Amino acid sequence: MTVEASALVGIEPGGTLLGFHTRGDIRRVLCQAPVMSDEGLGSSPAGLYEQLLTSRLEEQLARLIEGFKAVTSRLDPAEAADRLAMHVAALVESAVRSLPEAERPEAGAAIARRLGERLVEEAPRAVSAEDLLADSAEVLHAVTAPDPTGKPVDVAHPHVPLLDTALLSNAHGEPALSRQLASEIPSADGIDIIVAFIRYSGLRPLWEALQRHTSAGRPVRVLTTTFTGTTEQRALDTLREIGAQVRVSYDTSGTRLHAKAWLFHRRSGTSTAYIGSSNLTHHAQVLGQEWNVRVSGRRNPAVLEKMAATFDSAWENGDFVDYEPDEFAEAMANDRAAKERGFYLPPVEVRLDPFQERLLERIELSREQGRHRNLLVAATGTGKTVMAAVDYARLRQRLPRARLLFVAHREEILDQSLATFRYALREASFGEKWVGGHKPREFEHVFASIQSINAAGVERLDPRHFDLVIVDEFHHAAADSYDALLQRLQPVELLGLTATPERADGMPILHWFDDRIAAELRLWDAIDQGRLVPFHYYGLHDGLDLRDVPWRRGRGYDSAALANVMTGDDAWARRVVHQIHGHIGDPTTMRALGFCVSVSHANFMARHFAAAGIRSVAVSGETPDAQRRAAIEDLREGRVQAVFSVDLFNEGVDVPAVDTIIMLRPTDSATVFLQQLGRGLRKSRDGNKSVCVVLDFIGLQNREFRFDRKLGALVGGTRQQVRQQVEQSFPFLPAGCHLALDRQAHDIVLRGIKEALPSTWPQLQAELRHQMAQGVEPTLADFLDHSGLELADVYAGQRSWSDLRDSVGLGGATGPHEPALRRGLGR
């Protein structure tokens, strides 16, 4: 529909903005507006509006007082239908309200009909004459069905009109929530209920209405949990007896479900929902000071659609299982016993979480499709080794043999992995180590370090000896030592495990898996699903200037020079301690891991923390094993508050009690960054850890430093999207997470992202290789979108996209005039 140059609606006195304008360029006021008279925006109108302009408003914007600015943009095409409909609706409402009350039905209907006739003319394919209002100005309230005797049966209407959105708070003089819900049930064709817990006292007032509903063959679905042990079995039994479908989540490792909502589905299109704070208990439904919003599907269709889709997703995702009385009783008894002891006893056997089962199902599907080299990407702390152990247990039941080679690069990882396999398989003597002084005798189930294999000679291995090869931390597989091993072995199944397949140096690893990832659960998804605790990340400027520290391309800062800068400034260390006190409520109760540049740096930080009254120790690869284990045990038990290390705890260390991560080593490697962050995201076994605090100290960095890769590991997205997130203060984060940069750190990061755009030909090649390492061959549009570059950056001089592809080995179609055409593209 064409928008005329004249205004369709004006601005109400006092500054209420209702209408839109334009000269073909519809715009919105986004932020600050000018100081104007009270007739328009008011005397102090600075603020946010998101309001379509009218002719009158545009006229007033032209009379700006100096220094004020109106920020506008073209109306987003994706929002146009909703925003324009809103304003036309406001126009109709204002016009009808201006009529005498007695004339409003007929005269108002005539106004609406005339507007509809104009729409029929302007958009005949979307609006037809049948959509116009009838002359009678009547409202259809219901269509009734006859009873068995042929008499019409009245349908009870909800207390809140179907078209209304309302707030219910159990206030004095207001019907209780349970009464409101009961009034919705008779007219519903289906009901979905999701609440954290249910008690019989809350169900009893609704029991008869729900029973009549199900007796008429209409469904009721209920999702609830055993969280806090509050849900009563009697309530679930009652629901099942009246014909409701009930599913329960037994995940007691965290506070995953807090939703309280009812959805009343109606085939007539008048569905409604209640969203708020009330569980299904007498106190919440009747007595408590609760807030619940009743939403109308006619007025808020998008909200109802999303609620229905979210409920369906939860119903099907496997976290909730069909209610079985015996299973529920056992779970509640175990929960009570655990609380009495103050801790949870480990299960008799390994039981995968539903999300782990889904990941293994994807790997199995890949095998059924003929792919026997598979990569499992799962965030640190989500149990990659447990999944690998269960996968092996299942494979060995159908493989003729089940010889296993598990490869890692550190003995600590091998020790933990071997213990996990023994626990999962219920075989205390399963497996042999091949690392250091340990050498296998039987060579049936070997847990080997890559160093030991190479020292013995990869060429001495029988390529087909092992049926299943598992390579942990597979991002290391770009190294020559791994390449030689993978080239040599020909197992029935190859399984790679990693949290981050992307390498900072852009070296590929996905080619071992046909450039594909079989199953994947990234950090933000794992947090969203409640598998890891949320993070509260603070980027803090520490005052250091690292721009003159030598930089080694592909390896980052020179470690010795960087350590000298950091250990040579006692004031810097005191600033770190000061920030600890500012961001940790009580540092004497924290359990922190600090990641340092060198052994001297770790010792330096431990001394300063201890001097400030924070009990701390430093450990490194040089520290004896017994002393390292004691340091971790002291941290776990709270005898020390901080352990400082050098790369020692990046991989293979499981300390769920860690609730604070202190990043004192500047790294732009997404892999290292996520490994360090992951040390604090594991859920604690006692369930008391709700969040991990991350303090990342940020100084002025070398121009080569890639903030986008580091932050991209947290928030996801391309370099361009990361930049936008920084500019907008990270509006899109996993549930429960917080990410904040102080003012100076914000400026440093934003400047660093902008300066890190590849400009030279080698940098463009490195960027393309990095994108290729993600497993997808990028198009030119992909390359520009992910890198943040402009087209002219690629076609600078006489080079082209085809030249860039050729330079990294991608190649492409060529013809007799190809060279001349490529040289001419830049022009």
Side-chain angles (χ1 to χ4, degrees):
M1 184 172 69
T2 304
V3 181
E4 303 295 337
S6 60
L8 292 184
V9 66
I11 308 172
E12 291 181 351
T16 301
L17 309 178
L18 295 176
F20 66 94
H21 153 79
T22 125
R23 305 172 291 238
D25 176 22
I26 303 175
R27 296 174 292 174
R28 296 174 295 160
V29 175
L30 293 175
C31 22
Q32 283 192 324
V35 174
M36 300 176 186
S37 68
D38 289 340
E39 181 184 3
L41 291 172
S43 58
S44 299
L48 300 177
Y49 288 93
E50 290 287 340
Q51 173 59 54
L52 294 170
L53 294 180
T54 66
S55 295
R56 181 184 302 174
L57 177 57
E58 188 170 58
E59 188 179 303
Q60 292 171 326
L61 292 176
R63 301 196 299 271
L64 288 171
I65 291 178
E66 186 177 354
F68 285 83
K69 179 183 178 183
V71 182
T72 66
S73 72
R74 184 175 182 272
L75 178 63
D76 188 334
E79 298 177 347
D82 176 70
R83 300 300 190 260
L84 294 173
M86 229 167 80
H87 287 281
V88 173
L91 165 64
V92 174
E93 180 179 1
S94 178
V96 175
R97 284 186 184 277
S98 69
L99 299 171
E101 188 170 353
E103 300 176 14
R104 288 177 187 173
E106 289 76 15
I111 292 173
R113 183 181 177 87
R114 287 196 294 274
L115 285 173
E117 289 170 347
R118 180 67 183 275
L119 289 174
V120 173
E121 295 174 10
E122 297 285 349
R125 282 185 287 184
V127 184
S128 68
E130 286 79 9
D131 297 315
L132 301 181
L133 290 179
D135 294 330
S136 60
E138 292 184 343
V139 177
L140 171 65
H141 293 290
V143 174
T144 64
D147 67 10
T149 67
K151 295 180 180 179
V153 177
D154 290 335
V155 180
H157 284 256
H159 295 324
V160 178
L162 288 169
L163 298 184
D164 287 0
T165 293
L167 173 68
L168 309 170
S169 59
N170 286 350
H172 179 70
E174 178 182 282
L177 176 62
S178 60
R179 298 286 299 276
Q180 301 279 5
L181 294 173
S183 75
E184 299 267 2
I185 294 172
S187 59
D189 295 305
I191 302 172
D192 290 333
I193 307 167
I194 181 168
V195 286
F197 44 86
I198 302 173
R199 299 188 70 83
Y200 185 76
S201 63
L203 177 62
R204 187 65 191 86
L206 302 169
W207 178 85
E208 291 180 0
L210 288 172
Q211 185 179 48
R212 286 194 295 270
H213 176 89
T214 55
S215 297
R218 292 174 290 181
V220 174
R221 298 188 298 176
V222 181
L223 291 175
T224 190
T225 77
T226 56
F227 172 59
T228 73
T230 304
T231 295
E232 289 182 331
Q233 184 159 5
R234 182 185 180 190
L236 301 190
D237 288 338
T238 301
L239 282 167
R240 202 165 74 152
E241 287 167 7
I242 65 174
Q245 294 176 274
V246 181
R247 290 186 177 176
V248 181
S249 170
Y250 294 99
D251 182 2
T252 58
S253 61
T255 57
R256 294 200 52 234
L257 175 70
H258 283 276
K260 294 97 176 175
W262 292 65
L263 287 83
F264 297 95
H265 302 280
R266 297 183 178 89
R267 289 191 294 269
S268 64
T270 54
S271 298
T272 52
Y274 288 73
I275 316 165
S277 61
S278 294
N279 280 297
L280 194 41
T281 68
H282 177 70
H283 187 276
Q285 298 283 319
V286 179
L287 303 176
Q289 294 185 17
E290 309 279 348
W291 281 28
N292 295 276
V293 174
R294 196 301 199 102
V295 181
S296 165
R298 280 283 175 84
R299 203 173 289 275
N300 312 104
V303 175
L304 269 290
E305 289 170 8
K306 184 169 183 178
M307 288 181 67
T310 304
F311 186 95
D312 287 341
S313 176
W315 184 265
E316 299 293 346
N317 72 6
D319 290 339
F320 295 86
V321 297
D322 289 332
Y323 167 64
E324 294 294 341
D326 291 343
E327 184 178 10
F328 182 86
E330 181 181 356
M332 298 298 279
N334 289 339
D335 185 60
R336 287 192 296 271
K339 288 178 179 177
E340 290 171 3
R341 295 185 180 94
F343 62 94
Y344 285 92
L345 291 172
V348 175
E349 60 183 17
V350 170
R351 294 180 60 183
L352 294 182
D353 286 330
F355 83 96
Q356 294 171 320
E357 285 285 7
R358 289 195 294 276
L359 291 172
L360 289 188
E361 286 170 4
R362 290 171 189 161
I363 291 174
E364 187 57 32
L365 176 62
S366 179
R367 290 170 179 154
E368 290 174 1
Q369 295 171 342
R371 298 186 177 101
H372 298 282
R373 289 173 171 251
N374 293 287
L375 180 65
L376 169 61
V377 176
T380 300
T382 55
K384 292 186 294 294
T385 309
V386 172
M387 286 184 271
V390 172
D391 184 52
Y392 171 75
R394 295 170 180 175
L395 280 173
R396 74 172 182 169
Q397 294 177 7
R398 64 175 191 260
L399 290 175
R401 303 179 312 171
R403 289 176 177 169
L404 168 69
L405 174 63
F406 188 103
V407 184
H409 67 292
R410 288 187 36 217
E411 186 170 3
E412 289 90 347
I413 297 176
L414 293 173
D415 287 338
Q416 290 197 8
S417 300
L418 180 56
T420 299
F421 271 71
R422 288 173 174 174
Y423 182 54
L425 298 171
R426 315 307 296 166
E427 296 180 22
S429 59
F430 177 84
E432 300 174 286
K433 284 172 58 176
W434 188 6
V435 59
H438 303 278
K439 292 184 178 180
R441 296 180 180 178
E442 298 179 357
F443 268 92
E444 290 290 318
H445 312 112
V446 179
F447 289 72
S449 73
I450 187 65
Q451 297 88 348
S452 296
I453 294 175
N454 279 281
V458 171
E459 68 281 356
R460 298 176 62 187
L461 290 175
D462 179 351
R464 298 185 181 277
H465 178 78
F466 293 105
D467 305 286
L468 176 62
V469 174
I470 301 174
V471 180
D472 198 14
E473 307 294 352
F474 200 90
H475 48 271
H476 292 294
D480 292 341
S481 56
Y482 281 90
D483 185 77
L485 177 67
L486 293 170
Q487 292 277 11
R488 175 73 177 174
L489 298 183
Q490 300 176 35
V492 177
E493 301 287 348
L494 171 68
L495 179 65
L497 309 176
T498 184
T500 51
E502 301 85 14
R503 291 173 55 94
D505 57 13
M507 292 293 290
I509 64 169
L510 292 185
H511 61 284
W512 294 111
F513 307 101
D514 299 323
D515 293 320
R516 48 180 290 281
I517 295 172
E520 184 173 19
L521 181 72
R522 294 299 184 124
L523 174 73
W524 43 91
D525 297 318
I527 295 175
D528 267 334
Q529 295 180 23
R531 311 305 172 191
L532 302 174
V533 299
F535 58 80
H536 284 186
Y537 171 98
Y538 299 94
L540 308 168
H541 180 49
D542 58 9
L544 287 182
D545 188 343
L546 306 180
R547 290 174 293 185
D548 293 331
V549 176
W551 180 273
R552 307 286 182 253
R553 187 175 297 276
R555 291 186 296 162
Y557 290 109
D558 179 84
S559 297
L562 184 61
N564 288 338
V565 172
M566 292 187 158
T567 58
D569 189 348
D570 290 334
W572 173 80
R574 288 194 292 271
R575 285 195 294 272
V576 172
V577 173
H578 176 73
Q579 293 288 7
I580 292 292
H581 283 283
H583 289 84
I584 306 297
D586 182 2
T588 64
T589 64
M590 74 177 182
R591 291 171 171 83
L593 286 181
F595 293 95
C596 301
V597 178
S598 65
V599 174
S600 62
H601 185 211
N603 291 328
F604 174 78
M605 295 309 304
R607 286 197 303 271
H608 274 278
F609 269 57
I614 304 173
R615 290 170 293 182
S616 306
V617 296
V619 297
S620 69
E622 303 170 2
T623 308
D625 289 348
Q627 191 173 332
R628 282 190 296 189
R629 288 194 294 270
I632 291 299
E633 184 61 25
D634 287 344
L635 182 68
R636 182 182 291 115
E637 297 300 322
R639 291 187 287 270
V640 299
Q641 279 75 60
V643 174
F644 294 94
S645 71
V646 189
D647 293 338
L648 191 61
F649 300 131
N650 284 7
E651 301 167 332
V653 176
D654 182 12
V655 191
V658 170
D659 56 18
T660 305
I661 298 295
I662 309 171
M663 294 184 169
L664 302 165
R665 163 194 170 180
T667 177
D668 61 357
S669 165
T671 300
V672 173
F673 181 73
L674 286 182
Q675 287 170 344
Q676 294 177 352
L677 177 68
R679 298 306 114 198
L681 298 185
R682 284 177 168 84
K683 289 186 172 182
S684 62
R685 295 188 176 96
D686 58 12
N688 290 332
K689 183 171 73 173
S690 60
V691 69
C692 174
V693 176
V694 183
L695 304 182
D696 190 3
F697 291 88
I698 298 172
L700 294 171
Q701 304 290 346
N702 186 286
R703 286 176 62 92
E704 300 282 340
F705 193 86
R706 293 292 299 275
F707 282 106
D708 58 303
R709 291 179 181 171
K710 175 177 180 174
L711 292 176
L714 277 182
V715 301
T718 65
R719 179 195 280 114
Q720 192 82 334
Q721 291 167 333
V722 171
R723 180 182 62 78
Q724 291 170 353
Q725 287 252 47
V726 174
E727 290 174 337
Q728 298 169 17
S729 300
F730 305 96
F732 307 110
L733 291 173
C737 293
H738 175 73
L739 199 162
L741 303 174
D742 68 24
R743 182 178 57 81
Q744 290 174 295
H746 176 275
D747 293 343
I748 291 171
V749 169
L750 198 56
R751 184 168 62 250
I753 291 175
K754 292 177 179 177
E755 290 178 350
L757 289 177
S759 55
T760 67
W761 190 248
Q763 288 173 338
L764 290 173
Q765 292 172 312
E767 176 67 25
L768 182 53
R769 289 193 185 99
H770 180 73
Q771 292 188 25
M772 290 163 57
Q774 318 307 309
V776 178
E777 183 179 315
T779 65
L780 174 57
D782 294 332
F783 180 76
L784 296 176
D785 182 51
H786 283 71
S787 64
L789 293 167
E790 300 294 334
L791 193 64
D793 298 324
V794 176
Y795 285 88
Q798 293 189 350
R799 289 203 165 117
S800 69
W801 171 242
S802 296
D803 293 323
L804 185 59
R805 283 174 54 86
D806 286 348
S807 71
V808 298
L810 287 176
T814 60
H817 305 294
E818 181 87 11
L821 287 172
R822 289 188 184 187
R823 288 194 299 273
L825 281 171
R827 298 193 297 275

